[in-house]
Amino acid sequence: MKKLKNKNILIGITGSIAAYKACDIIRIIRKAGGNVQAIMTHSAKQFIGKSTIAALTNNPVIDSIFEDDPKPGLEHINLAFDIDMVLILPATANIIAKAANGIADDSLSLALSICEQPTIFCPAMNYKMWRNKANLDAVEKLRKRGKIIVDPEDGFLASLHEGKGRLANTQRILNNIQSVFDIKLPLKNKNIVITAGPTQEPIDGVRYISNRSSGKMGFAIAETAHNLGANVTLIAGPNNLKDIPGITMIHINTASDMLEAVSEKLDSDYIVMNAAVADYRPKNINPSKIKKHEAKLNIELEPTVDILDYIKDKTKACIIGFALEMENLEENALDKMNRKKLDFIVLNTANNINQGFDVDTNQVTIFSSSGKKIKSDIDTKERIARFMWNEIID
Ligand SMILES: Cc1cc2nc3c(=O)[nH]c(=O)nc-3n(C[C@H](O)[C@H](O)[C@H](O)COP(=O)(O)O)c2cc1C
């Protein structure tokens, strides 16, 4: 239980006869050095006293969104930042359904709608409630979102019926809590270079050709790799994002700057080419500002060096390319992967408002050179980055 020392755990207690079992779990977590903050639903208080939970957690119990005497600040939002894990024990069919559907109408469902920390649900209910299709669908939805469900057990229930619905035994619940803190670092000691953002190709002293890439996807990939233990170098074109602490940042402007920076890192374990590098640049750059003329201005463009083509035979790294396509999506992505000898290609499009450039969400399909194909849901770029690394590490 060493892993629980100084961990802040939010326990949500709901209206089931098994609510009293929360007392034991709270005592064990606190004995192991963890801190516990409890939220009780209105129904939970029909089964176990608020004073008992306040005494055992050594913290005031949260049981209402709107206090009679409101405290300054936004308690429900602050809470979501200060904790390491959420444990819903026992979890009623009601809280499972609310969490699966984003309902936030009491203090516990509200906290669940905000908290992105690892969350464990420990259902306890009558066997008919458990096997209700609506309940099983909600459980499945939560699982798909990465929530941990400690399945109830078979046995005698409070109603003296026998079936699946009893709260899981204490050891199984504790094992699940422990496994949340058993932080795995699958990219530990790996050197990873990631490119992000656009490039800017100067036309004259003040103008340039660029594209709408914000860099958000590449930054999310870099931060996720860092959190998975990697030594990350992020080569970023011009962007408005904050540098990520703990990552080596290299800021560049042009495609040739990016080529030079990537060429220095060919001994990396992974190279992720997420940047939207210009394919063409003005052939002649006017050092001062081009004056406005009556006549047409023609800018002659020349191709930039294709970075993936250039590095493909010079590195042993696992190379991950990105394809932003607007038509013939799969065909174009696979063609790029094969031509450039990539290990993986991540296809995304700019065809929808919540995908691609300059938005916080994305949807990707990952193809591997070994023939695998997997598509993500539309999700935040952080979760897409996690999805991508999971597939690649796998
Ligand atoms: C005596 C009694 C026992 C109950 N036990 C459970 C239970 O074990 N699991 C469950 O999902 N609901 C149980 N319920 C129903 C919930 O308390 C009810 O659905 C409630 O609205 C849940 O609210 P909450 O999820 O906000 O705590 C029980 C109700 C009563 C009256």
Side-chain angles (χ1 to χ4, degrees):
M1 298 296 288
K2 264 191 255 155
K3 289 167 196 150
L4 297 188
K5 197 162 170 55
N6 297 328
K7 296 289 187 245
N8 297 321
I9 297 176
L10 175 67
I11 185 166
I13 306 171
T14 64
S16 154
I17 289 188
Y20 72 93
K21 296 189 180 168
C23 298
D24 244 357
I25 299 282
I26 293 169
R27 271 189 332 104
I28 295 170
I29 295 172
R30 291 211 53 223
K31 229 171 143 191
N35 308 312
V36 184
Q37 169 66 61
I39 298 183
M40 294 180 79
T41 63
H42 179 69
S43 313
K45 290 183 288 178
Q46 301 291 323
F47 294 87
I48 182 165
K50 190 171 160 180
S51 311
T52 305
I53 300 298
L56 290 176
T57 57
N58 199 30
N59 267 318
V61 172
I62 298 172
D63 61 350
S64 160
I65 304 178
F66 304 103
E67 303 278 351
D68 291 340
D69 180 16
K71 299 186 193 73
L74 295 163
E75 187 180 38
H76 60 289
I77 305 277
N78 297 341
L79 196 66
F81 287 94
D82 296 342
I83 53 169
D84 298 303
M85 197 202 88
V86 185
L87 174 68
I88 308 299
L89 185 152
T92 54
N94 183 51
I95 196 69
I96 289 172
K98 284 195 203 178
N101 291 292
I103 295 171
D105 65 351
D106 65 10
S107 45
L108 182 55
S109 55
L110 175 60
L112 285 173
S113 74
I114 299 167
C115 292
E116 292 183 334
Q117 286 84 347
T119 304
I120 301 179
F121 287 84
C122 303
M125 63 194 75
N126 178 273
Y127 74 103
K128 287 201 175 188
M129 281 179 98
W130 173 254
R131 75 182 186 195
N132 179 323
K133 183 79 173 78
N135 178 61
L136 294 179
D137 286 351
V139 166
E140 196 48 34
K141 255 192 188 177
L142 292 173
R143 278 208 170 99
K144 278 197 177 139
R145 285 183 211 144
K147 310 298 176 199
I148 301 162
I149 313 286
V150 185
D151 270 352
E153 294 178 357
D154 263 315
F156 280 107
L157 306 168
S159 59
L160 299 185
H161 290 110
E162 209 178 336
K164 187 169 179 174
R166 272 162 66 113
L167 184 77
N169 73 59
T170 304
Q171 194 52 52
R172 205 145 66 79
I173 293 168
L174 291 173
N175 288 351
N176 276 276
I177 298 174
Q178 294 257 68
S179 68
V180 164
F181 297 115
D182 192 5
I183 302 160
K184 294 188 183 73
L185 295 175
L187 292 176
K188 197 165 179 193
N189 299 328
K190 298 287 179 204
N191 295 316
I192 300 187
V193 61
I194 295 156
T195 68
T199 59
Q200 290 179 350
E201 308 303 326
I203 298 170
D204 65 12
V206 293
R207 301 180 179 93
Y208 56 80
I209 297 174
S210 191
N211 58 62
R212 286 170 41 218
S213 171
S214 62
K216 287 178 184 171
M217 190 70 245
F219 272 58
I221 293 169
E223 187 157 17
T224 309
H226 172 64
N227 292 339
L228 293 172
N231 307 316
V232 179
T233 302
L234 179 57
I235 305 172
N239 64 77
N240 295 315
L241 306 173
K242 284 201 187 110
D243 283 2
I244 306 169
I247 284 181
T248 306
M249 300 288 309
I250 300 178
H251 294 281
I252 56 91
N253 279 311
T254 66
S256 68
D257 296 341
M258 188 160 276
L259 173 67
E260 201 180 315
V262 174
S263 302
E264 303 276 304
K265 295 279 169 192
L266 295 180
D267 56 353
S268 301
D269 298 293
Y270 294 85
I271 299 178
V272 185
M273 291 294 298
N274 171 255
V277 183
D279 295 323
Y280 291 92
R281 64 180 175 205
K283 190 166 181 188
N284 302 304
I285 304 167
N286 194 319
S288 64
K289 187 180 170 204
I290 300 172
K291 286 285 171 208
K292 193 171 173 184
H293 295 296
E294 294 280 312
K296 272 191 198 159
L297 173 68
N298 286 316
I299 301 172
E300 192 182 345
L301 301 178
E302 64 178 6
T304 56
V305 176
D306 186 310
I307 302 179
L308 281 172
D309 262 346
Y310 179 83
I311 65 168
K312 69 181 183 211
D313 294 320
K314 298 184 175 63
T315 176
K316 292 198 175 84
C318 170
I319 307 182
I320 300 115
F322 269 71
L324 184 93
E325 303 292 343
M326 298 186 80
E327 52 200 12
N328 302 330
L329 312 178
E330 183 162 341
E331 194 184 323
N332 288 343
L334 288 174
D335 176 57
K336 182 170 177 182
M337 178 168 74
N338 296 331
R339 265 187 301 113
K340 302 192 176 187
K341 293 191 185 165
L342 306 178
D343 297 283
F344 294 90
I345 190 136
V346 183
L347 165 67
N348 53 175
T349 85
N351 292 350
N352 296 311
I353 50 165
N354 44 14
Q355 285 168 262
F357 280 147
D358 207 17
V359 287
D360 293 331
T361 50
N362 207 358
Q363 179 174 38
V364 298
T365 308
I366 303 177
F367 300 91
S368 74
S369 55
S370 59
K372 259 183 89 179
K373 171 184 171 182
I374 182 155
K375 187 174 184 177
S376 75
D377 292 331
I378 294 182
D379 213 330
T380 61
K381 286 187 170 167
E382 287 71 27
R383 283 197 284 261
I384 294 287
R386 188 70 200 228
F387 174 83
M388 187 198 95
W389 280 120
N390 282 348
E391 285 312 309
I392 288 166
I393 296 163
D394 199 28

